[in-house]
Amino acid sequence: MTKGTSSFGKHLNKSHTLCRRCNRRSFHIQKKTCASCGYPGAKIRKYNWSVKAIRRKTTGTGRMRYMKTLPRKFKNGFREGSVARPRRNATKSA
């Protein structure tokens, strides 16, 4: 038996498939766990020995659909349903 090129043609079965939570091809089919995010565990998989992996997945690397508007809303006191007061400079110049 050879252990080189001819053997690599026999690698047909996939051990990992797409994960529902992180969308990476890291969900182990037999173990039923994701090697990347730890799904179906409740907590996201994260280890301090891999600082670079944490940096790739942390807050701010995605769209941040809610978080990116927070500084502006905080500055205005989280007001809702009211009309903003006209700014003084805008009224003088008009």
Side-chain angles (χ1 to χ4, degrees):
M1 289 294 293
T2 58
K3 57 180 180 178
T5 311
S6 59
S7 299
F8 290 113
K10 294 178 168 49
H11 291 278
L12 297 171
N13 301 326
K14 292 179 180 156
S15 58
H16 293 86
T17 186
L18 282 180
C19 172
R20 298 163 125 169
R21 183 155 70 185
C22 64
N23 269 342
R24 290 175 62 121
R25 191 165 160 267
S26 307
F27 189 78
H28 197 281
I29 298 168
Q30 287 185 324
K31 291 182 187 176
K32 296 281 191 278
T33 54
C34 179
S36 179
C37 71
Y39 180 82
K43 295 179 181 175
I44 295 281
R45 178 183 171 275
K46 178 180 84 78
Y47 294 104
N48 287 333
W49 47 256
S50 181
V51 179
K52 200 182 270 190
I54 295 173
R55 201 187 312 148
R56 288 190 204 109
K57 298 177 188 180
T58 192
T59 313
T61 55
R63 282 174 59 186
M64 293 208 318
R65 296 188 287 279
Y66 175 75
M67 293 265 289
K68 68 181 166 192
T69 59
L70 269 187
R72 174 174 47 85
K73 288 180 179 179
F74 172 76
K75 185 184 72 176
N76 296 319
F78 294 100
R79 64 180 177 212
E80 283 185 354
S82 61
V83 181
R85 275 192 249 142
R87 289 153 68 198
R88 292 182 185 180
N89 296 345
T91 54
K92 285 181 183 176
S93 62

